[in-house]
Amino acid sequence: MAADTAQTIDHPALQRPKVTEREPLHPGYLRLGEEVPPASELDMETLDLVDPEVWRQGKYWDRFARLRKEDPIHFTPDSFVGPYWSVTRYEDIMAVDTDHKRFSSSWEYGGITLGSPPPDFELPMFIAMDEPRHSEQRKTVSPAVAPNMLKEFEPLIRERTAKVLDSLPIGEPFDWVDRVSIELTGLMLATLFDFPQERRRELTRWSDIVTNMNNPDICPGGEEQWKQELLSCLTVFMGIFQERQAIPLKNDLISLLAHGEKTKNMTPMELLGNVILLIVGGNDTTRNSMTASVYALNSFPDEYKKLKADPSLIPNMVSETIRWQTPLAHMRRTAVEDVELGGKLIKKGDQVAMWYVSGNRDEAFWERPNDYIIDRPNARRHLSFGFGIHRCVGNRLGELQLQILWEELMKRFEHIEVLDEPSRTSGGFVKGYTWMPVILHGK
């Protein structure tokens, strides 16, 4: 069921969000609502995975399956983001991800997303740095999400989750994305930054803006508006950064950066880069996994029955959700020397996309990879958090939030029913949902 042809529910709060008409970003890309051709009809020479409309309609799986089978290290010579390589098999992705000496994530080469940032607007951040600077900055913020802090956060997360869930209507439709996923991740993100809770939706907004410069529903003013909003984010956080420098060290992310030996003298753009990284890392990923868990259990009703029979499966279900969903579809690296991979020569300076979304469905690694299996034995070996030095610093916190959400849901509700196909994000980086109508059935 394509997002546009799905039935609409006659409830004023639940009209599917309108999607603005837009010009395709590149010659040959699809228009809004245009039918996505099957992968079998595409020319392998020019196959390009970054057309936003393919992502908005969720029609990329057959493309990845064909690449894994026929051309697992694939070169796209021309696209909106320039020429790039696609690495689509689990083992190859792992090889690139753990080889930070030859595959750089440094912002100086273009960072972690395909394409080039606007000139004069580079955003250095620790995920987009090589050693030793990467580890110096990463070590500075990691105490905020260390195991002792997770113990401290747990009662707070549980209390808030309970409050949000208790505020939801039973037996009446509402948008799960807005009322639960965005709300819970916004509350947590504001806590991590020690940011005013009443302004937490500003964090969600910046998270949406940073990855949607070319999406007229989020950033109708294009690059100019994108720069303005990110600079206003910088102004806000520069103020907080200076305030925290003037007071004793606390455990929030901005205090840690403000007092850190290697971060206290960051340039403004470096501060903005790290703030944006922590916002997107702490928000988009957890938020989209929260929605995915409900969607997946509705798509695989036998798994929902299994969960109801045995709620002790929740921790493993969380890992399986993160594998099945893959909230960040790819990470980019840049080859800093010529590298041979899978019989192909990747040249120095080439962009390389590690398609986590494809590796997490690789038939050679996973049994029945497209199925959602909440007691899958090796679910934790998913690629969604990355591997090597850049493995997601907040991964345990994300898992904890999802685990608590489901523990609290199972206490309260007999069933969460998804009423319609969700609306999806358009773009091949953040892979998620913008709207999903549900009804809660009480116990």
Side-chain angles (χ1 to χ4, degrees):
M1 186 157 54
D4 304 69
T5 54
Q7 49 149 350
T8 51
I9 302 151
D10 192 21
H11 187 287
L14 287 184
Q15 295 309 307
R16 184 181 292 281
K18 292 255 183 301
V19 183
T20 309
E21 193 61 54
R22 57 200 70 183
E23 278 306 302
L25 293 177
H26 195 68
Y29 282 13
L30 300 170
R31 297 203 77 83
L32 188 69
E34 194 179 334
E35 196 167 328
V36 177
S40 55
E41 290 176 12
L42 301 174
D43 174 9
M44 273 309 245
E45 292 298 305
T46 56
L47 180 70
D48 177 11
L49 293 159
V50 296
D51 181 345
E53 185 61 12
V54 175
W55 291 89
R56 198 184 68 79
Q57 292 189 34
K59 302 276 183 67
Y60 34 77
W61 296 113
D62 62 340
R63 286 162 162 69
F64 287 119
R66 188 172 171 203
L67 285 176
R68 285 193 303 270
K69 193 174 170 189
E70 296 176 30
D71 195 15
I73 313 290
H74 173 77
F75 186 65
T76 299
D78 178 39
S79 82
F80 174 66
V81 294
Y84 66 96
W85 291 91
S86 286
V87 183
T88 51
R89 282 185 188 163
Y90 185 99
E91 299 295 351
D92 295 328
I93 292 167
M94 193 69 108
V96 173
D97 217 353
T98 51
D99 185 354
H100 63 268
K101 288 197 164 58
R102 296 190 300 171
F103 294 102
S104 166
S105 28
S106 177
W107 61 275
E108 288 141 315
Y109 300 114
I112 55 163
T113 55
L114 292 168
S116 308
D120 310 322
F121 208 87
E122 274 144 343
L123 292 173
M125 53 183 91
F126 69 80
I127 195 173
M129 288 179 183
D130 293 334
E131 295 302 351
R133 285 180 72 202
H134 159 264
S135 283
E136 291 167 355
Q137 295 202 2
R138 181 186 166 106
K139 274 187 194 126
T140 304
V141 296
S142 51
V145 287
N148 63 315
M149 286 306 288
L150 296 191
K151 278 201 182 64
E152 212 168 293
F153 285 143
E154 189 172 338
L156 179 68
I157 296 170
R158 198 171 295 280
E159 181 192 327
R160 284 186 182 155
T161 302
K163 200 169 166 186
V164 167
L165 297 183
D166 290 339
S167 74
L168 299 172
I170 291 187
E172 189 191 319
F174 65 91
D175 174 18
W176 176 272
V177 174
D178 183 66
R179 295 281 301 268
V180 181
S181 301
I182 290 176
E183 192 54 19
L184 286 176
T185 47
L187 285 161
M188 189 67 233
L189 202 52
T191 300
L192 287 172
F193 283 127
D194 195 11
F195 188 83
Q197 283 292 354
E198 65 279 7
R199 293 174 55 195
R200 63 184 175 272
R201 289 280 170 140
E202 291 174 36
L203 299 172
T204 308
R205 171 68 189 163
W206 288 321
S207 186
D208 289 343
I209 268 285
V210 73
T211 55
N212 281 287
M213 186 202 292
N214 302 298
N215 182 342
D217 291 313
I218 292 174
C219 195
E223 188 181 313
E224 212 33 61
Q225 179 184 349
W226 183 82
K227 282 183 176 171
Q228 286 317 110
E229 292 206 36
L230 288 186
L231 288 172
S232 71
C233 173
L234 172 60
T235 305
V236 168
F237 275 97
M238 203 69 201
I240 296 173
F241 188 76
Q242 286 164 347
E243 279 166 23
R244 302 282 153 88
Q245 276 187 322
I247 59 173
L249 173 66
K250 297 186 298 178
N251 249 337
D252 65 273
L253 289 167
I254 305 303
S255 290
L256 291 165
L257 289 170
H259 288 269
E261 205 41 54
K262 302 289 184 183
T263 51
K264 63 186 182 189
N265 299 317
M266 283 191 292
T267 65
M269 290 311 268
E270 213 172 317
L271 173 65
L272 178 61
N274 278 314
V275 164
I276 289 299
L277 162 67
L278 296 165
I279 288 177
V280 173
N283 173 61
D284 278 331
T285 48
T286 311
R287 153 176 148 190
N288 290 314
S289 300
M290 284 177 173
T291 304
S293 59
V294 177
Y295 180 55
L297 288 169
N298 273 260
S299 306
F300 295 87
D302 286 348
E303 298 301 301
Y304 207 165
K305 281 183 198 146
K306 201 189 276 181
L307 180 68
K308 288 172 187 174
D310 183 4
S312 75
L313 291 171
I314 289 172
N316 200 75
M317 176 192 103
V318 164
S319 294
E320 173 68 348
T321 301
I322 296 167
R323 177 199 74 86
W324 186 84
Q325 171 58 21
T326 316
L328 292 179
H330 80 270
M331 281 282 177
R332 165 198 168 169
R333 298 289 183 260
T334 305
V336 291
E337 57 183 72
D338 290 2
V339 182
E340 195 187 303
L341 189 67
K344 302 282 181 86
L345 182 65
I346 297 171
K347 291 274 182 57
K348 179 181 178 176
D350 285 356
Q351 302 187 82
V352 180
M354 302 180 287
W355 290 103
Y356 293 154
V357 62
S358 174
N360 278 339
R361 299 286 182 104
D362 182 355
E363 308 77 358
F365 187 84
W366 307 98
E367 239 178 274
R368 293 169 38 212
N370 296 315
D371 290 352
Y372 179 71
I373 304 168
I374 65 169
D375 50 0
R376 183 184 288 281
N378 60 345
R380 286 194 74 84
R381 294 185 65 190
H382 65 75
L383 295 163
S384 305
F385 292 136
F387 276 92
I389 60 166
H390 292 289
R391 188 164 172 80
C392 171
V393 70
N395 61 342
R396 292 288 179 264
L397 177 61
E399 290 173 338
L400 181 66
Q401 287 173 267
L402 275 159
Q403 186 174 324
I404 289 173
L405 171 63
W406 274 98
E407 287 166 0
E408 296 301 317
L409 283 169
M410 298 300 281
K411 284 179 201 170
R412 284 171 177 74
F413 309 114
E414 185 51 41
H415 194 73
I416 309 167
E417 179 187 358
V418 175
L419 300 170
D420 203 343
E421 273 294 297
S423 292
R424 292 177 167 82
T425 47
S426 55
F429 185 60
V430 172
K431 176 176 165 289
Y433 309 89
T434 57
W435 174 85
M436 187 175 76
V438 302
I439 280 187
L440 297 176
H441 299 280
K443 282 213 181 269

